[in-house]
Amino acid sequence: MKPVPIKALESSANASRGLALWHLLAIGTIAFWGTSFVSTKVLLNHGFSAVQIFTLRFTVTYLLLLAMTHKQFRCENWKHELILCLCGLTGCTFYFWAENTALTISPSSNVSLIVCTNPLLTMIFGGLIYKSERLCKRQIFGCVITFIGMVLVVLNGKFILKLSPVGDLLAFSSACMWTIYSLIVRPLNGKYSTLFITRKMFFYGALSSIIIMLGETDKSVPWQNFAEPVVSLNFLCLTVFSSLFGYLIWNKVLKQLGTVLASNYIYAIPLVTIITAVIALGEKITAVALMGAAAIVAGMVLAEWKK
């Protein structure tokens, strides 16, 4: 038997360390997104509408990205431009509009459960579209375990689900929007920088959100409320951490880990949200939710670990 060359071992070790870094960055992004629900709730309680929140969030994020990178404004062709337009609509505007509207109609537990099915949709369609995204049996089993854990965390000991057809359909539409964004942005990751892709996404997201906001009955934005530190700080968290850093890192994570495996981390968002709610809003966490948290971690280890 030939000994394995030292250079090959070093290369393998370096690759493993590189992947570990992207897994950590994926966890950090999910932490940003998990806390964003609490920040959004704070802004809603201070007089902002859901549409106003994500419109201002996208607009400010786009301006920050424009300040960071403004050498290239157009894609190589109109096909790529159209794809990035669809990314902005599906990954930003339609996703948040459908989710926030669903929350006003359906119970939050319904919305959370349905929206967080998007990793399952990504796993199914990602495997059908891209051969490199197909998972082995162990990884599929890990995804299922993680999904069960997410259900336990969302329900948090309250096994009551009320059907609300319109709201539930909107929540499912939101999950579909995120799945479409995750899959269609994949081919562009090798052609353009992450900064360029994210900036173009937020441009189209901000533009379409402004149109929706102008269609609202009450168009007055409570600008004076930004004088309150709690409002300005939570808006800063939404803009800088959840949007700017969150999407920049996530687009890079999709490229490095693969769309299907990266999307599996989305199951942990309810876990981060409930922990943040316990700390910031004084909500209670039950033994069932703790069991769900353990299942999420175990499932992720099974799904993400590679021999």
Side-chain angles (χ1 to χ4, degrees), residues 129-144:
I129 298 170
Y130 305 113
K131 289 183 179 180
S132 60
E133 296 285 357
R134 292 173 187 172
L135 306 181
C136 65
K137 291 180 180 179
R138 171 181 54 77
Q139 290 174 313
I140 293 172
F141 179 67
C143 290
V144 173

Side-chain angles (χ1 to χ4, degrees), residues 85-131:
C85 177
L86 288 174
C87 286
L89 293 173
T90 55
C92 294
T93 309
F94 292 161
Y95 171 78
F96 281 101
W97 178 83
E99 181 184 77
N100 291 336
T101 307
L103 284 169
T104 64
I105 302 172
S106 294
S108 58
S109 55
N110 285 37
V111 178
S112 297
L113 283 174
I114 296 170
V115 169
C116 282
T117 58
N118 74 68
L120 280 179
L121 297 174
T122 305
M123 181 174 69
I124 294 167
F125 290 103
L128 290 173
I129 298 170
Y130 305 113
K131 289 183 179 180

Side-chain angles (χ1 to χ4, degrees), residues 138-152 264 267 291-292 294-300 302-303:
R138 171 181 54 77
Q139 290 174 313
I140 293 172
F141 179 67
C143 290
V144 173
I145 294 296
T146 310
F147 176 74
I148 293 170
M150 182 274 299
V151 172
L152 295 176
N264 197 43
Y267 286 135
M291 289 171 57
I296 287 174
V297 174
M300 281 186 171
L302 279 172

Side-chain angles (χ1 to χ4, degrees), residues 156-300:
N156 198 15
K158 299 174 184 177
F159 296 94
I160 302 172
L161 287 175
K162 296 179 181 179
L163 289 177
S164 176
V166 176
D168 294 348
L169 184 60
L170 279 169
F172 182 69
S173 300
S174 181
C176 291
M177 290 298 104
W178 189 265
T179 302
I180 292 170
Y181 149 66
S182 299
L183 293 174
I184 64 175
V185 78
R186 187 181 185 273
L188 298 182
N189 278 323
K191 298 180 181 296
Y192 302 97
S193 70
T194 307
L195 267 172
F196 177 78
I197 290 172
T198 310
R199 194 197 76 208
K200 294 289 286 187
M201 273 185 61
F202 276 101
F203 169 73
Y204 289 113
L207 188 64
S208 52
S209 298
I210 290 170
I211 295 170
I212 294 174
M213 190 176 76
L214 292 175
E216 284 194 312
T217 307
D218 183 12
K219 299 182 179 64
S220 59
V221 180
W223 299 106
Q224 68 280 1
N225 291 348
F226 280 109
E228 299 180 44
V230 67
V231 172
S232 54
L233 285 173
N234 278 282
F235 181 74
L236 185 69
C237 287
L238 282 175
T239 305
V240 176
F241 295 105
S242 297
S243 294
L244 181 62
F245 292 147
Y247 278 79
L248 274 176
I249 296 171
W250 190 252
N251 283 334
K252 196 72 174 177
V253 166
L254 288 175
K255 180 181 179 181
Q256 297 294 329
L257 299 183
T259 305
V260 174
L261 284 181
S263 296
N264 197 43
Y265 278 105
I266 291 173
Y267 286 135
I269 289 179
L271 175 60
V272 177
T273 302
I274 200 170
I275 292 171
T276 309
V278 168
I279 297 170
L281 304 176
E283 295 185 9
K284 294 182 179 179
I285 187 168
T286 65
V288 173
L290 291 174
M291 289 171 57
I296 287 174
V297 174
M300 281 186 171

